Amino acid sequence: MNTDKAKGGLVLKIVLVVVGILLVLAGYFGITMYQEYQSTGAGTEETVTIDVEQGESTWDIAAKLKDKKLIDYEVVFYLKARNTGAAGKLRYGTFTFQKESGLTEILEVLTTGGAQKDAVMFTIPEGYTIELIAKKLEKEGICAEAELLEAVEKDYDYWFLEDIPEDENIRYRLQGFLYPETYAITEDMAAEDIVKVMLNQFDKLFTEDMKKQMDVLGKSVYEVVIEASIIERETMIDEEKVMVAGVIKNRMEIGMKLQMCPTALYPITEGLYTKTSVNYEDTQYDSRYNTYMYDGLPVGAICCPSISSIEAALHPAEHEYLYYHTDEEKNDGSHIFTKTYEEHLETQ
């Protein structure tokens, strides 16, 4: 008897059995996941209640539904929510579900119910700094300025905060990541909760395509946000943002100081931008934010930029311009771009 051949046959049988079991399991889970995706459910008299906090993600909600045994597969809930467009409509608040409702009914409840607590609306304008946000929230009676400034110093678990360097010259590590938007804040939310809501919005808007482009450019998200913050403070015209991004790119490629006015104004005004123009003395202000004094990017962001400025930082225009200044004739906030310093002076 050939022992090796017998052993080989046994191994083959074991492999076939294991493969067979895996195929059966894959088929079983595939069928049950499909059934849950399509489920409408009959519902029962027994009900289950969950609380969804403002700013929680689709995955967070899925985890709560599974914990209450309303769903079996978090990924199925996520896919159904995305594919039906419900993901962008999920609400916060207290929700009551019938057991065995099915995904269709669960999503219907989550997109039409909730929001049972009284909410206060507030808007963070594009280009605001953490310092300005804190003052605005206090002025509107939402939270004390000191509370927000204390909250932004805490640690938060987000992927885009991981590569921020430990540098004592950075005023606020979260500068640039509190996304400018209109928010609904409930009275029972602490300053830390408000910060999380704004960080969640940044996380939601910084897409996978943006991450890929960031990698193509060889930049970290921190560097992208710093550039975007400069762009945000340099021009209010969306169409010009890629042009300004191109100037930043061109200057950095030849080792030229960026010399962007807002980078000097940010430290001088302690983030409040109470000055709008820069004089020679301002350009000599010793701060790692001041790009008149130091090479490269500032040590940190100088405001919280809009998505259009982030997109511009990721897709700078290809041109040869190194200079620009406000077009005084048009007086509409637009700029004149020039290639040389001589042209820059001539067009002023």
Side-chain angles (χ1 to χ4, degrees):
M1 178 178 180
N2 191 325
T3 305
D4 291 339
K5 186 174 182 179
K7 287 182 179 178
L10 179 60
V11 170
L12 179 60
K13 288 179 181 178
I14 293 172
V15 170
L16 290 174
V17 170
V18 171
V19 170
I21 292 172
L22 291 175
L23 288 173
V24 170
L25 289 173
Y28 170 76
F29 284 113
I31 291 171
T32 55
M33 291 173 78
Y34 177 76
Q35 288 175 339
E36 181 160 287
Y37 186 94
Q38 298 291 348
S39 64
T40 55
T44 66
E45 292 185 3
E46 190 176 355
T47 60
V48 177
T49 299
I50 68 168
D51 289 314
V52 176
E53 300 297 328
Q54 188 176 14
E56 286 192 306
S57 68
T58 306
W59 286 109
D60 294 329
I61 298 171
K64 290 185 174 183
L65 292 171
K66 184 176 181 181
D67 184 59
K68 294 290 187 176
K69 299 185 177 359
L70 287 165
I71 63 173
D72 292 321
Y73 304 104
E74 295 174 46
V75 67
V76 174
F77 173 81
Y78 177 80
L79 291 173
K80 179 95 171 183
R82 287 201 61 179
N83 293 343
T84 60
K89 303 175 184 176
L90 297 175
R91 304 175 68 177
Y92 69 92
T94 302
F95 300 86
T96 300
F97 306 91
Q98 290 181 311
K99 279 196 170 182
E100 301 180 17
S101 292
L103 272 189
T104 301
E105 284 76 11
I106 288 173
L107 286 170
E108 176 69 19
V109 171
L110 287 169
T111 54
T112 59
Q116 296 175 2
K117 301 173 184 177
D118 291 334
V120 177
M121 305 297 293
F122 78 94
T123 299
I124 300 302
E126 297 172 351
Y128 255 43
T129 60
I130 284 175
E131 296 89 334
L132 288 169
I133 292 172
K135 286 190 175 296
K136 190 174 195 292
L137 291 181
E138 178 167 285
K139 183 178 179 180
E140 296 183 11
I142 295 171
C143 77
E145 177 182 351
E147 290 177 356
L148 188 85
L149 294 180
E150 181 180 350
V152 297
E153 297 287 9
K154 296 182 182 296
D155 292 327
Y156 297 90
D157 186 19
Y158 292 87
W159 68 269
F160 48 84
L161 303 179
E162 293 174 358
D163 64 354
I164 299 177
E166 294 293 336
D167 192 324
E168 62 181 8
N169 294 297
I170 299 174
R171 280 181 61 86
Y172 292 106
R173 296 179 71 251
L174 298 188
Q175 191 76 272
F177 296 101
L178 302 189
Y179 191 76
E181 183 64 274
T182 297
Y183 297 98
I185 302 297
T186 57
E187 293 180 357
D188 60 344
M189 292 179 71
E192 192 172 338
D193 298 319
I194 295 173
V195 170
K196 289 179 181 177
V197 169
M198 291 188 275
L199 291 175
N200 284 339
Q201 185 67 1
F202 181 93
D203 192 20
K204 176 182 176 182
L205 293 177
F206 204 98
T207 65
E208 290 299 321
D209 285 342
M210 290 179 178
K211 293 177 186 177
K212 291 177 183 177
Q213 180 62 16
M214 182 179 76
D215 292 337
V216 168
L217 296 175
K219 296 178 181 178
S220 68
V221 65
Y222 189 58
E223 291 170 327
V224 170
V225 167
I226 291 174
E227 286 190 40
S229 72
I230 298 173
I231 295 165
E232 187 71 49
R233 295 298 307 190
E234 281 288 273
T235 181
M236 65 181 72
I237 300 174
D238 283 347
E239 293 75 14
E240 280 193 351
K241 289 182 176 181
V242 292
M243 297 293 291
V244 174
V247 171
I248 293 174
K249 172 177 173 289
N250 292 344
R251 288 189 177 186
M252 291 189 69
E253 285 181 347
I254 63 174
M256 178 180 175
K257 282 186 171 68
L258 293 184
Q259 298 180 319
M260 303 289 183
C261 293
T263 67
L265 293 175
Y266 174 71
I268 288 172
T269 64
E270 297 185 330
L272 299 179
Y273 289 107
T274 48
K275 290 185 66 173
T276 57
S277 60
V278 172
N279 56 35
Y280 176 76
E281 184 180 9
D282 295 333
T283 67
Q284 302 306 300
Y285 187 83
D286 192 2
S287 167
R288 287 290 305 282
Y289 284 92
N290 187 357
T291 58
Y292 284 92
M293 286 286 291
Y294 291 91
D295 294 330
L297 292 172
V299 69
I302 60 171
C303 74
C304 295
S306 62
I307 200 67
S308 60
S309 293
I310 294 173
E311 287 279 15
L314 289 169
H315 301 279
E318 293 291 337
H319 57 61
E320 298 179 0
Y321 298 127
L322 290 172
Y323 303 91
Y324 58 90
H325 62 80
T326 304
D327 190 331
E328 300 294 347
E329 289 188 11
K330 289 186 178 179
N331 195 28
D332 58 358
S334 63
H335 294 80
I336 295 173
F337 293 82
T338 52
K339 297 178 182 179
T340 68
Y341 188 62
E342 290 72 26
E343 290 176 331
H344 178 66
L345 295 177
E346 289 173 2
T347 55
Q348 290 193 58

